Amino acid sequence: MRKNKSIDMLLRELPLTELDAARLIVECVEEMPELRVIAFQGREGLVREVRRVIREGIVAVRNQERTVSFAEAAWKSYERRSERRPTTRRDLRSYIGRLLRFSELADRPLRGISTMECRGALEEVFGNSAHSFRKGRAVLHSIFAFGIQQGWCNQNPVSTIEMPRVCEKEILPLTLRECRRLVQTAKRPAFRDCLPALGLMLFAGVRPGEVARLRWEDISWEEDVLLLAPCHSKTGGGRQVALCPSLQRMLRRQWRLISSRSGKRTLLCPPQWEKRWSALRREAGFRRWVPDVLRHTFASYHAKTYHDLPSLQLQLGHRDSSLLRTRYINLRGVRGKDTLPFWTLLG
C-alpha cells in the first residue's frame, strides 16, 4: 500500500495530462505500424498492446543496463583463461592486481567506464614503462572484450587508446667464436644432455620457453623436422621447424644414447634444465645473457646464408616478415665467410 501511495503522490506531482498519454500512444503507433490494425479494432486492444510494449521495453532496458563491477569482470575474465600456461596466468594475475590496487577502477560499473578513465588508469599504473603500458593495455582490452561477450557492456573503451612506441634495445647476434664456445662446452660430459636443447635454439630458432616443453616424440625422424604443437608454442600456433643436417645428426646420436639407457627420458631437456643451462653459459664464459639471443643469432645467420625471408618467417612462426626486418635480423658482425662454419659447428 505504501508503495502504491508513493506512486500516486508522484503522479499527482507530475504535470501529466490525458494529452500526454495520448501522445505516448501515438508515438508507439508511429514506431510500430503493426499497432495501427489493432487501433482500428478498438481502444481497449490498443491500450493492452501499448502496455505490453512498455513492459517488454522495460525488460530490454534492464538487460541493456545489466553490468558488474570492473573487479568482478576482471577476475571472471581471469578464471576463463584456466587453460593458459602457468606463466601466462601468473602475468595476467599480476597485471589485474596492479590495475585493481593502484587505479580507481575496481568498484566502477563496467558499463560506465570511459576511454578517458581507462587511459588515465594505464598511465597511472604503467606509465613508467612503454612495455608495461602495452601489456597492461592488452589485459585491460581483454577484460572489456569479455564483458561485451557477457552483456555487461556494449563497447570496448580501450580500443581507441593508442599503443606507445617501444624502442627495443638492439640485440647483437653471437659471433662465430661465441657460438663455438657454447657448443664445445655443451659437448663436455657434464653438459652433454643440454646439447639437444642448445642445438634447437641456436640452429633452428626455437624459443627458450618452447624448448623447455618439448618431448623427443615431437621430432619426426622420417622427415627430419620438429613438429611444434600449439600447446608448446609461445603464440599458441603450431609450426613445423626444419632441422639442418648437422642438427639432424646430433639429435639422432643423442636419441640413440638416451634410448640405450635403462630409463628413457620423454622430455627433451634434462632434469633441472634452467639450472644446468645457466651453469653451461657460465662455463662457456658468458656473464651477461640476453634471453632471445640464440633465436636472433639463428635468424641472422639464416638470412645471411639463404636470403629467404619467407622461409625464415615460417621457421620462426611469425605472422609476417616485418618483425624479422625491424628486430630479428642483425647482420652486424655476421660475415659471409662465417656462415658455412656456423652450420657445421655441431659436427
Side-chain angles (χ1 to χ4, degrees):
M1 291 293 292
R2 289 182 178 177
K3 183 178 180 182
N4 291 338
K5 283 183 178 179
S6 62
I7 292 176
D8 290 341
M9 290 176 61
L10 176 63
L11 291 176
R12 280 198 298 271
E13 292 174 2
L14 292 174
L16 296 174
T17 65
E18 292 181 359
L19 182 59
D20 293 319
R23 285 174 177 167
L24 180 61
I25 293 175
V26 169
E27 288 178 7
C28 288
V29 173
E30 288 176 347
E31 293 294 329
M32 300 179 64
E34 58 269 28
L35 292 179
R36 293 177 181 273
V37 177
I38 300 174
F40 284 115
Q41 294 175 356
R43 172 178 171 277
E44 291 183 2
L46 178 60
V47 172
R48 185 169 55 250
E49 280 300 301
V50 170
R51 283 174 177 165
R52 182 183 66 82
V53 169
I54 292 174
R55 283 197 302 270
E56 293 185 3
I58 291 172
V59 173
V61 168
R62 284 176 176 169
N63 288 336
Q64 254 190 344
E65 294 178 351
R66 183 171 63 94
T67 191
V68 296
S69 69
F70 174 81
E72 183 176 349
W75 291 124
K76 292 285 186 183
S77 171
Y78 171 78
E79 290 168 6
R80 283 293 183 92
R81 291 169 170 78
S82 59
E83 76 288 352
R84 298 292 182 89
R85 297 192 188 93
T87 52
T88 303
R89 283 175 57 81
R90 182 191 62 210
D91 289 348
L92 184 59
R93 186 178 184 87
S94 172
Y95 274 78
I96 289 175
R98 291 169 67 183
L99 280 168
L100 295 180
R101 285 196 304 273
F102 303 115
S103 74
E104 298 179 355
L105 296 180
D107 297 324
R108 296 275 289 113
L110 193 70
R111 189 180 295 277
I113 297 176
S114 66
T115 297
M116 185 177 296
E117 288 176 292
C118 290
R119 183 182 288 108
L122 290 172
E123 290 174 352
E124 180 181 357
V125 181
F126 308 112
N128 292 331
S129 167
H131 176 76
S132 295
F133 189 101
R134 290 172 69 92
K135 196 164 184 178
R137 181 194 178 281
V139 171
L140 193 58
H141 188 280
S142 70
I143 293 170
F144 281 96
F146 176 74
I148 292 173
Q149 293 176 356
Q150 302 303 309
W152 298 332
C153 58
N154 295 332
Q155 58 185 0
N156 195 326
V158 186
S159 298
T160 55
I161 297 178
E162 60 282 356
M163 283 282 200
R165 185 176 179 180
V166 177
C167 297
E168 301 280 5
K169 293 181 180 179
E170 181 185 22
I171 296 181
L172 291 173
L174 299 183
T175 65
L176 181 63
R177 180 178 295 180
E178 290 172 325
C179 293
R180 183 177 287 115
R181 288 207 322 258
L182 270 175
V183 173
Q184 289 176 344
T185 304
K187 286 182 177 181
R188 297 177 188 173
F191 299 108
R192 194 167 292 153
D193 282 353
C194 299
L195 190 57
L198 170 62
L200 287 170
M201 289 188 289
L202 182 55
F203 300 101
V206 180
R207 296 180 178 93
E210 293 173 338
V211 79
R213 293 187 284 269
L214 290 178
R215 299 176 179 273
W216 279 103
E217 53 262 36
D218 294 325
I219 298 175
S220 172
W221 301 112
E222 294 78 13
E223 300 183 28
D224 284 320
V225 295
L226 171 68
L227 301 174
L228 197 63
C231 60
H232 295 158
S233 170
K234 175 187 176 181
T235 58
R239 68 182 190 274
Q240 181 172 289
V241 178
L243 307 176
C244 66
S246 63
L247 181 56
Q248 296 172 22
R249 292 192 294 270
M250 181 274 289
L251 289 172
R252 286 182 179 275
R253 288 196 301 268
Q254 290 298 113
W255 173 240
R256 282 195 293 268
L257 285 173
I258 291 173
S259 300
S260 65
R261 298 172 185 171
S262 55
K264 292 184 180 180
R265 192 177 71 238
T266 303
L267 288 174
L268 188 137
C269 291
Q272 297 183 316
W273 159 245
E274 293 291 343
K275 184 177 179 180
R276 296 186 66 182
W277 172 227
S278 178
L280 190 159
R281 298 196 307 265
R282 287 196 304 272
E283 188 69 18
F286 291 92
R287 296 294 176 263
R288 299 181 63 185
W289 187 258
V290 179
D292 274 337
V293 69
L294 296 186
R295 185 169 162 88
H296 287 251
T297 300
F298 164 78
S300 299
Y301 276 92
H302 190 287
K304 187 74 172 182
T305 305
Y306 301 107
H307 309 283
D308 186 355
L309 288 190
S311 175
L312 180 57
Q313 175 192 329
L314 290 175
Q315 178 86 355
L316 294 177
H318 290 172
R319 292 181 181 178
D320 54 53
S321 62
S322 60
L323 193 59
L324 288 176
R325 298 174 186 275
T326 59
R327 178 153 169 78
Y328 268 78
I329 297 175
N330 190 337
L331 301 181
R332 191 145 61 95
V334 178
R335 300 176 299 179
K337 66 178 183 178
D338 290 339
T339 56
L340 180 59
F342 172 80
W343 297 110
T344 57
L345 283 175
L346 290 172

